[in-house]
Amino acid sequence: MPIESRSCPSARQAKQKRKSHSLSIRRTNSSEQERAGLQRDMLEGQDSKLPSAVRNTLLELFGQIEREFENLYIENLELRREIDTLNERLAGEGQTIDGAELSKGQLKTKASHSTSQLSQKLKTTYKASTSKIVSSFKTTTSRAICQLVKEYVGHRDGIWDVSVAKTQPVVLGTASADHTALLWSIETGKCLVKYVGHVGSVNSIKFHPTEQVALTASGDQTAHIWRYIVQLPTPQPTADCNQVSGEDEVEISDKDEPDGDGDGSSDCPTVRAPLTSLKSHQGVVIAADWLVGGKQAVTASWDRTANLYDVETSELVHSLTGHDQELTHCCTHPTQRLVVTSSRDTTFRLWDFRDPSIHSVNVFQGHTDTVTSAVFTVGDNVVSGSDDRTVKVWDLKNMRSPIATIRTDSAVNRISVCVGQRIIALPHDNRQVRLFDMSGVRLARLPRSNRQGHRRMVCCSAWCEEHPICNLFTCGFDRQAIGWNINIPALLQEK
């Protein structure tokens, strides 16, 4: 009984301390808004070259860090009060345990846990704050350097490939799962020609190096060579597509995708039959390209082979075998008789036709998943992209290991390289398009918001360095192609 009577006053005293402490916490929380307003007023009164939006963002982030420290400080005070209360209770019971010994002994585990929590909270707060700050600056920079200029809407299904003509007049070509290929005016976005000769998905399109002729590959197991004649319309003034409200990365539902039923492709001239049909594959023809000079063409198929054809006679010249699984892409060198094929077997192969008597092949192994594309650049370099979320830069003189590796957060589809400036455009499954240099340094990300950019998987990219308005084109499974203006000098300066 005497022990209980002595412990009651100490218990009431501890309860009163907790109550007063709870009131102080409520007062602290209620004054946070007033303090934030005071800090903003102080910040506005200071001279700074930072934009007001950036200053407000920084102030908010630093305020979050301050509140984290304040909460930890309050928790520390509460822990100390609990120690004092426990010491008073033990003293009232007639026991003589030193408070310092208690702190170092029985409470050592709790103190260690508290320290660990403090460290983890600080690390989390720092990482989140840094990420938000860096993201804010990168978004502002990307929107200033990479601007959406024109959207090309007219297909009724996803667009697999996009290409730019190499001769005058310069037009844009798209290949779609709706069994058609369309040619567009880059400046006006108007459909100029529709090709309807295929009975399957059109998987790729490439323009002849010197003539108004196109090469398309299809799921109907053929590749078609067809001629087009276009007359470019007079360009009309276009509205600025870059004045966009809303935050980056806004989700958009499929019902907001461009509707192909109301497009202008139905009233454009139609080409119904090819000049030549290349028929030797036993599976889907996934890609095709012209060899230098335009007298031969190469095709890649899901039957695990690539075929080399004579364009004039349509005869099969060589069947390129060796891949263990379906091919995904093929590409030719702009100035030499070289071909590179990529496959689901995680490799890509270099085929050399420069010597008519010897056709050598080299195998590149470095990816862990499907190689979606491999393209040539200037010099002796090849760039490969893969579903393993990496892009690798290779030197043809040393095939054992890549000279640069780019790691991303999503599968990479058909890449393209700006030859003059050595910039790689990476289209991703996650609807992003990122720009890197050949050494693997990230330069920018194309803006994507609630009113512009791709809404579904981006399938392909294509550069057109000479065009004054649009120098990069992308296409995706949202049934549209997009023309971008990339301020390359500013982009490289930011680097």
Side-chain angles (χ1 to χ4, degrees):
M1 290 298 293
I3 294 177
E4 292 179 0
S5 63
R6 283 196 300 269
S7 62
C8 287
S10 62
R12 284 195 298 269
Q13 184 179 3
K15 186 175 181 180
Q16 291 175 355
K17 287 183 179 180
R18 293 193 191 95
K19 185 176 181 181
S20 63
H21 174 61
S22 175
L23 292 174
S24 67
I25 293 177
R26 284 197 291 268
R27 285 196 299 270
T28 301
N29 294 335
S30 64
S31 63
E32 284 184 357
Q33 295 180 350
E34 298 177 0
R35 182 174 55 194
L38 179 60
Q39 289 176 341
R40 284 193 175 88
D41 294 339
M42 293 176 61
L43 185 63
E44 291 175 356
Q46 298 176 357
D47 294 332
S48 175
K49 295 182 181 180
L50 290 175
S52 59
V54 177
R55 296 169 65 194
N56 291 335
T57 301
L58 289 173
L59 179 60
E60 181 180 354
L61 295 176
F62 289 135
Q64 293 177 8
I65 295 175
E66 181 183 1
R67 286 193 292 273
E68 285 291 331
F69 276 106
E70 185 177 19
N71 292 335
L72 293 174
Y73 177 73
I74 292 173
E75 290 177 5
N76 189 29
L77 291 179
E78 180 68 22
L79 181 61
R80 174 52 57 185
R81 288 192 177 95
E82 291 180 2
I83 293 173
D84 293 341
T85 302
L86 183 58
N87 282 335
E88 291 176 3
R89 184 177 303 171
L90 292 174
E93 293 175 354
Q95 301 181 25
T96 57
I97 298 179
D98 183 65
E101 182 182 350
L102 180 65
S103 299
K104 294 180 181 179
Q106 297 177 1
L107 295 179
K108 183 176 181 180
T109 303
K110 188 172 185 179
S112 176
H113 178 67
S114 177
T115 304
S116 176
Q117 280 188 326
L118 171 61
S119 175
Q120 186 61 37
K121 286 185 178 181
L122 290 177
K123 289 180 180 179
T124 304
T125 304
Y126 172 76
K127 289 181 179 179
S129 303
T130 304
S131 176
K132 289 180 181 178
I133 295 172
V134 172
S135 177
S136 300
F137 283 114
K138 281 189 175 180
T139 300
T140 304
T141 302
S142 295
R143 285 178 175 172
I145 295 177
C146 310
Q147 298 182 350
L148 186 150
V149 177
K150 183 66 64 175
E151 294 178 335
Y152 305 89
V153 180
H155 281 291
R156 299 172 185 270
D157 207 337
I159 303 176
W160 293 119
D161 199 20
V162 62
S163 183
V164 182
K166 301 176 182 179
T167 59
Q168 295 294 334
V170 178
V171 296
L172 180 70
T174 53
S176 171
D178 64 6
H179 300 189
T180 69
L182 300 181
L183 305 187
W184 307 83
S185 166
I186 293 178
E187 292 81 4
T188 66
K190 180 181 178 180
C191 179
L192 304 175
V193 174
K194 176 191 287 188
Y195 181 71
V196 296
H198 286 291
V199 294
S201 170
V202 184
N203 300 320
S204 78
I205 181 170
K206 288 292 183 291
F207 291 94
H208 192 276
T210 58
E211 302 178 23
Q212 291 190 22
V213 175
L215 170 65
T216 50
S218 173
D220 60 13
Q221 302 184 5
T222 68
H224 287 182
I225 298 174
W226 46 279
R227 186 177 298 277
Y228 63 90
I229 299 176
V230 297
Q231 183 176 0
L232 296 180
T234 303
Q236 300 294 327
T238 57
D240 185 5
C241 299
N242 302 289
Q243 302 299 325
V244 183
S245 61
E247 296 296 325
D248 202 28
E249 300 297 329
V250 176
E251 294 294 332
I252 300 178
S253 62
D254 290 346
K255 67 181 181 181
D256 294 326
E257 294 178 7
D259 186 2
D261 296 336
D263 60 74
S265 64
S266 58
D267 57 0
C268 68
T270 300
V271 178
R272 301 184 180 277
L275 295 175
T276 302
S277 180
L278 308 178
K279 304 176 181 179
S280 293
H281 286 292
Q282 304 302 314
V284 169
V285 182
I286 195 66
D289 201 358
W290 303 92
L291 263 72
V292 58
K295 295 182 179 181
Q296 291 181 324
V298 63
T299 58
S301 172
W302 283 4
D303 64 9
R304 305 183 183 183
T305 68
N307 288 340
L308 184 65
Y309 294 92
D310 182 276
V311 171
E312 185 176 354
T313 63
S314 303
E315 292 182 358
L316 177 65
V317 179
H318 294 289
S319 183
L320 313 179
T321 60
H323 282 291
D324 295 330
Q325 295 188 40
E326 297 94 333
L327 273 65
T328 57
H329 191 250
C330 65
C331 179
T332 60
H333 195 281
T335 61
Q336 302 183 62
R337 290 176 55 79
L338 298 173
V339 176
V340 63
T341 57
S342 53
S343 170
R344 289 176 56 88
D345 62 10
T346 73
T347 72
F348 67 94
R349 295 181 176 230
L350 174 67
W351 310 83
D352 190 345
F353 298 101
R354 290 175 293 185
D355 188 341
S357 60
I358 302 175
H359 304 139
S360 63
V361 58
N362 294 308
V363 181
F364 291 75
Q365 297 176 326
H367 290 286
T368 59
D369 205 337
T370 298
V371 181
T372 54
S373 64
V375 298
F376 289 99
T377 68
V378 290
D380 296 324
N381 294 129
V382 171
V383 182
S384 61
S386 171
D387 281 343
D388 65 9
R389 304 183 179 184
T390 68
V391 173
K392 297 178 183 290
V393 182
W394 305 80
D395 187 347
L396 297 182
K397 298 176 182 178
N398 181 13
M399 302 175 295
R400 295 183 179 180
S401 61
I403 59 178
T405 298
I406 301 170
R407 304 188 185 279
T408 69
D409 60 352
S410 179
V412 181
N413 296 312
R414 292 182 176 177
I415 60 179
S416 64
V417 179
C418 177
V419 176
Q421 302 296 334
R422 299 171 65 85
I423 300 175
I424 312 170
L426 312 184
H428 291 284
D429 276 1
N430 65 359
R431 301 170 293 173
Q432 302 292 346
V433 180
R434 296 183 173 93
L435 306 181
F436 287 81
D437 68 8
M438 294 285 288
S439 62
V441 176
R442 176 176 166 178
L443 302 177
R445 183 189 67 187
L446 300 192
R448 218 183 57 78
S449 67
N450 60 341
R451 293 186 184 179
Q452 66 173 345
H454 288 288
R455 301 172 178 87
R456 298 182 69 179
M457 175 181 69
V458 188
C459 301
C460 181
S461 62
W463 288 93
C464 182
E465 302 175 55
E466 298 81 10
H467 201 278
I469 299 176
C470 300
N471 53 4
L472 177 63
F473 298 91
T474 58
C475 66
F477 224 65
D478 55 0
R479 298 180 288 177
Q480 67 172 340
I482 298 178
W484 304 86
N485 180 268
I486 311 299
N487 188 339
I488 295 179
L491 186 69
L492 298 178
Q493 185 178 5
E494 288 290 334
K495 169 187 172 182

